[in-house]
Amino acid sequence: PFSLRATEVPQGSGSGFVWDANGYIVTNFHVIQSAQAADVTLADHSTWPARLVGVEPDKDLAVLRIDAQSRTLPAIAVGTSSDLEVGQKVFAIGNPFGFDQTLTTGVISGLGRVIESVTGRPIEGVIQTDAAINPGNSGGPLLNLNGEVVGINRAIRSSGMTLDGEPVNSGIGFAVSINIVKQVVPYLIRDGKYDYPYLGISSSSRDLTLNEWKAIGSTQTSGAYVIEVTPGGPAEK
């Protein structure tokens, strides 16, 4: 779990997990989004100051690092989200409402969901689960029966609020798939950011008719009709 502080005053908390023995910690971007500083508390309740390594807001992912060289950090076993099935049992570990090291169980309720990131862009391939996910669970691992992380608990669909204004779990939780995490995190560790590949062209949004292909002098009647090439982009190069 994370204990965030602004000017040394605790402001919020979330969850995360050890990516590797070098001290890299993976969590959600929205967990650390407004933090001026962050502490990481490990399972043995030792607390370590963390520095921000990289973020990818469009996927709601962030990487922190702690300097705990005097000890061996147990990296989480990383699984895959490619072979998940609806009905499969899963476990969520996190820090809901400040109750650290909390484990909840459930099943995968749906696959291929799409939710909105903090930037408003869609996160695709999201896992839906009925394992209880509450405020403070964000950034924690969703595990399969082998103890492998298959997703990062990210959000809930709530039908009400507590007296403190917190959303209430209604049995519909969402986790970013581990396949997305495995794609993005190595770049955050290396570069501090994730650059999306792009071709650098704009093309027709519809199929051209036979007469239109002939009008542009094409000898073929299929393929992409390139309207513009982005100056300095990959296609031009």
Side-chain angles (χ1 to χ4, degrees):
F2 292 85
S3 174
L4 307 184
R5 64 184 189 277
T7 61
E8 300 305 315
V9 178
Q11 296 295 309
S13 62
S15 305
F17 54 85
V18 178
W19 183 255
D20 63 24
N22 294 316
Y24 292 108
I25 310 292
V26 175
T27 186
N28 284 142
F29 168 71
H30 77 262
V31 169
I32 54 90
Q33 181 177 5
S34 353
Q36 296 178 10
D39 288 338
V40 172
T41 302
L42 300 177
D44 62 1
H45 299 289
S46 64
T47 299
W48 304 81
R51 67 176 180 86
L52 184 63
V53 174
V55 299
E56 170 40 14
D58 289 344
K59 301 300 182 186
D60 199 11
L61 295 175
V63 176
L64 304 177
R65 190 176 188 184
I66 62 175
D67 184 9
Q69 296 178 357
S70 60
R71 62 198 309 159
T72 300
L73 293 177
I76 199 165
V78 178
T80 177
S81 49
S82 301
D83 56 1
L84 297 178
E85 297 181 353
V86 172
Q88 179 176 334
K89 195 170 186 65
V90 286
F91 305 89
I93 297 179
N95 183 44
F97 300 109
F99 293 100
D100 64 332
Q101 302 182 44
T102 294
L103 181 143
T104 55
T105 67
V107 298
I108 292 176
S109 308
L111 295 167
R113 305 303 194 200
V114 179
I115 61 175
E116 193 174 277
S117 70
V118 292
T119 62
R121 295 190 176 183
I123 304 175
E124 300 179 345
V126 170
I127 303 163
Q128 179 186 336
T129 178
D130 67 351
I133 296 174
N134 287 291
N137 273 115
S138 291
L142 185 70
L143 308 168
N144 62 19
L145 283 171
N146 295 323
E148 299 167 331
V149 59
V150 295
I152 295 185
N153 302 317
R154 196 254 174 198
I156 61 174
R157 178 66 180 269
S158 178
S159 57
M161 295 287 182
T162 67
L163 294 177
D164 297 326
E166 297 282 7
V168 177
N169 179 277
S170 56
I172 301 179
F174 300 102
V176 179
S177 74
I178 195 63
N179 284 5
I180 292 177
V181 178
K182 290 192 293 186
Q183 178 182 345
V184 172
V185 164
Y187 287 94
L188 298 186
I189 291 174
R190 189 187 71 181
D191 305 324
K193 61 179 181 176
Y194 181 75
D195 290 323
Y196 288 90
Y198 72 103
L199 189 56
I201 65 169
S202 59
S203 60
S204 174
S205 59
R206 62 176 179 82
D207 294 333
L208 272 63
T209 65
L210 179 61
N211 287 335
E212 285 174 324
W213 280 114
K214 290 180 178 179
I216 62 175
S218 176
T219 58
Q220 62 184 39
T221 56
S222 64
Y225 176 37
V226 177
I227 298 173
E228 183 181 12
V229 175
T230 304
E236 184 184 64
K237 292 179 181 178

